[in-house]
Amino acid sequence: MAECVADGPDLKEMEEEELWDLINNNRHRVSLEARPCLLIPYLRQARVLTEMDEEEIMNCMKFPNRCMRTSYMLDILRTQGRNGAMALLESLMIHYPKLYTQITGRKPSTEASGFSGLIKNAELTEYLVRAVTGMQQELQEARREAADMGARCAALEAELSQALPQSEALRQLRAEHSRLRRHMAGLHRDLLKLKDEKCDLHMRYTASVEENSVVNIRCRDLQLQMYQLQFELRKSQKETDFQRQRSVRCASPSDTQQLREEVSALRRKLLQAEKFTPAREDILTQDLEEARDGRTELLEQICSLREESEQLARERGQLLEEKECLALQVQKLSLDCEMYQQKSAVIQSQLGELQAERDQAYLLRDEAQTQITRTLAEKDTLRRQVVELQEKVFTLRAWNAQRGEQEKQGDRKYSWESCSDCPLPSPSPRPKLRRMFAISPEHKRSTSTEGGEDSSSSIRSKHAEPPCSDSLRRREDELHCHSESPDMTEWDSLASLIDIENDFDTVSEGDDEVILPVTPPSLPCNNSPSDGAATPPFLVRLRPKALRISNRVMTISFHGEALLKQLQVVGGNKTGVFVHRVTEGSAAQLVGISPGAQIMEVLYEQERRSLRMVLEDSTLEEVLWALGQVQGFCHLSLRPNQDGYEKLMLQLQSGEVTSGDSFYVRVNMSLSAACSGALTVTCNDILHVTNTTHGSDGSWKASHVHPCQLKDLKSGTLPNYYRAQRLLIRAIEDMAFPQRPLKKAQENQKTVRIVSTGRQGRNPLWVSVEGDNTGEDKESRSSAEPKSCVTLMPYTLVTPYHPPTPRPVLLLPTILGRIMNNRLGELSGFQLCEPELLNASEHAVRTHKAEILEECGQGSHRCYTLQSVEKVMKQGSHCVLPLGPDCVRRLHKAEIFPIIIFIASSERNVRRLRHKLQREGWTEEQLLECSRSEEPLLDKLPCLYRRLPPDSWNGTTALLGMLRSTILEEQNKIVWVEPDLW
């Protein structure tokens, strides 16, 4: 890197904002003069631009001119901060020194365009010398830094020697600290015990205070009675005083004595009234004993509650231990599962190798059979030539004998034509013409019908057995049966595939074998005089009659180089893919391929490996890709289906359909409309794809589906599978490394559902390829090329179902579902699922048949079964399932599709359920944790679910009404089920 002359401010001392102010002040000049193609290599080397940034700057259609591309490059570098500014100025110093000087006020050490000229002239030496000098200076600085670092290390070692005793003392302090903590924990336990005793004393004190208050109330009542008696006593004293005075004045001594006796009697009564009677004392004593008894009962209740709390604590400890044991078992099972998966992967690879070897053996066998066929054909040609030569010899001998007789007689002359009309004398004996393994077609057909499975065709043999002597003849017989050509010319086009041994039949007469003709039905038995002299009658070539047999698969082998230029196909996965046009003069036309044939599969070789692609139920996009991979010799399996082809062409001409594709997918990501006509979709939407080759840029034509009917709504274009897969990967990268904060609406909305092919090992939305996986050139393939290394699925196939009976209801999260299940089951039209009590044998049988959804507890045979769910459904009620999300796949296997409702909750909602949670023995934190752990599991379920947002309910009553309306709404919808990919 060139050093700058210190004519301006030092760039290394400037801050980020100052550097970018310098660049932004000259942004217009940089955009006009600088070329991104010159600056990007240095910026890539400085690691401020990535390969994706380079492609976006140079190839994006939004920036049609160089100025816009340069401006966009400056915006990207602005996000890199100070490093981006420094790298930009250094690249300008190298490629645009004048512009660098105008921006920074500093002059570069090299001349204008000197960096690029160094490679072409002698300045390279000067540049290398300066570079070596700079590197030596840097080496000296590095050595000085190493010496400084050595001194620093020595100082650090001294500090380390000092720190070791300190660490020992610190360790002792930590041990003392741990001891003090343990001591503090013991004191804390003692404090808790004292607090419990204090609580007991407070309770006793409260009880005694209550008893004291009762006694005080009774004392006040007694005092009131005493005051009343004292008032009556005073009144009686006043009356007695008044009577005494009156008696003193006017009464006699006898009356006085009588009054005194009455007074003494009243005084005795007063004394008796002032004292407590035994009855009252008994009443007070009885009340006191009742109070003591009540206190004793309260103490007993407190003791029993304390014992129950201790028992619950012990049970909680046992449950925690069981949880740890189960977690350990889960880890062991997961390790075993991984081991079995590795074993299965190894077995699959071995099976793939065996399949490759089997396919190679098949190819070698077919090549051997072809070679044998060619050899037999050459032998037949030579034998035919021998027969012709022998016939000429016999004819010449007879002609010579007749000519000799004519010369002797001298009567008349015979010409060649007259000799041919006259009967020839019997020729001299000739050698026998024998043919090894010559079998007539009738004999071969009878043999093939009597042989059954042992004489199966070897064209598409699936058994690893070597070819026998009759395999070629069986091949030819099948080609006879599968032929559809009505005339002999199309049969002649398949002559390369027909065994020539059918040309002649051998008939044994005694010990000799003579080749005799077998006259086909279309040929006359007797030849005309004009034809008889040209060809001997026993050399007439036998051709079987072309039969039209439908619904039979015919395999044709030919050279399929640039197969899509030879054939034009139409159709799709719903109707099948048909041959629409055949190029004249191509290899496909020469072997007899005609429009209307349905393509079933294609077999070809690629890099010495045999690949077989099944195209019977494939989409048009898949078939075009598969046929585009064919390079060289191939085997194409066709089935005549003229009715289906004509029906498809009528639909295409009337505009009823645009292709033969029709399938439903579930979208696993959110896509916005990037252009006009594009379809805006969100995650978990259901789409109906009707054309997989809608656009040349790799787009599908799809429509939204009505939630309650199989009816298409708004339609538009959609990225195909592999374009969407790249968008999905980019969305996941944006989520993992966000460049800017998301909006609140985007945070609440689900944007991505991660689904992988998992155990399947292949993409279920692509053509089935059987054979070895081969590396392919990425640049020569279209956007629809499959990439087996990526298993993320932007779309998954779904199948519609519309259950006529009420569907079961599953509420999640599990803790909140347990609270709402009982209340929902009490409503009309709903019934809570009850567990069944099974004996040991029934439990084993149900477990073997996978009819047990979930067990109530370990060791007990109380289980939730499929029969209990079906029983409630037959009654016309929604079965409320108090189960977890694991039961969904078991229900789907029995074709029972539950309504899954996930109730999202927040801290505000959970606070309203505090009392109900405490009654069931749960806490608010446990409910929130259960909700967070079970919500990701819903994406792995093979069906859709309904999510209730937390701001839509604020209590159990409102939640119950919302659940009822949601269930009735979901019951009317179509159930979309995808294949189990997990």
Side-chain angles (χ1 to χ4, degrees), residues 62-79:
K62 295 182 180 179
F63 313 118
N65 54 35
R66 176 172 54 82
C67 296
M68 296 179 69
R69 288 194 291 271
T70 307
S71 179
Y72 183 66
M73 182 185 67
L74 294 178
D75 294 337
I76 295 177
L77 292 175
R78 183 67 178 88
T79 61

Side-chain angles (χ1 to χ4, degrees), residues 383-394:
R383 285 171 179 154
R384 188 164 58 251
Q385 293 177 1
V386 168
V387 170
E388 292 176 356
L389 291 175
Q390 287 179 350
E391 291 298 325
K392 287 182 180 180
V393 169
F394 298 152

Side-chain angles (χ1 to χ4, degrees), residues 170-234:
L170 180 61
R171 190 179 48 157
Q172 294 177 358
L173 288 174
R174 286 180 178 173
E176 183 67 17
H177 178 259
S178 61
R179 186 184 64 80
L180 291 175
R181 288 189 66 178
R182 289 193 297 272
H183 181 63
M184 182 179 178
L187 294 177
H188 183 67
R189 288 193 294 272
D190 296 338
L191 179 62
L192 293 177
K193 291 180 181 178
L194 292 175
K195 285 184 178 179
D196 293 337
E197 293 177 359
K198 182 180 178 182
C199 182
D200 294 339
L201 291 175
H202 277 295
M203 293 176 65
R204 293 176 184 176
Y205 176 74
T206 303
S208 62
V209 167
E210 290 177 355
E211 293 175 358
N212 191 15
S213 63
V214 173
V215 172
N216 289 332
I217 291 171
R218 291 187 179 276
C219 289
R220 282 196 294 270
D221 294 337
L222 293 174
Q223 286 178 358
L224 182 58
Q225 292 178 5
M226 187 178 67
Y227 293 152
Q228 291 177 358
L229 292 174
Q230 286 179 358
F231 176 78
E232 292 177 358
L233 178 59
R234 289 176 184 174

Side-chain angles (χ1 to χ4, degrees), residues 440-505:
S440 63
E442 290 78 5
H443 177 69
K444 287 180 282 186
R445 291 189 182 91
S446 63
T447 306
S448 63
T449 54
E450 292 173 1
E453 295 182 356
D454 296 334
S455 61
S456 58
S457 174
S458 65
I459 293 180
R460 299 172 61 190
S461 175
K462 298 182 180 178
H463 303 285
E465 58 182 5
C468 61
S469 59
D470 295 336
S471 60
L472 294 175
R473 300 179 181 88
R474 292 199 302 268
R475 178 193 295 262
E476 185 233 341
D477 291 342
E478 285 197 3
L479 288 175
H480 281 314
C481 297
H482 295 169
S483 174
E484 288 185 2
S485 301
D487 52 359
M488 298 300 292
T489 58
E490 292 186 2
W491 182 264
D492 290 336
S493 66
L494 295 176
S496 61
L497 298 176
I498 299 177
D499 191 356
I500 307 179
E501 287 190 30
N502 256 354
D503 295 346
F504 308 99
D505 288 346

Side-chain angles (χ1 to χ4, degrees), residues 702-719:
S703 306
H704 285 284
V705 183
H706 194 278
C708 301
Q709 301 174 1
L710 288 177
K711 180 181 178 181
D712 293 346
L713 301 178
K714 183 180 179 181
S715 61
T717 60
L718 188 73

Side-chain angles (χ1 to χ4, degrees), residues 146 200 257 381 394 430 465 531 545 653 806 843 918:
D200 294 339
Q257 186 65 29
T381 304
F394 298 152
R430 57 179 179 177
E465 58 182 5
D531 296 338
K545 184 179 180 180
Q653 292 173 3
H843 184 270
Q918 291 177 355

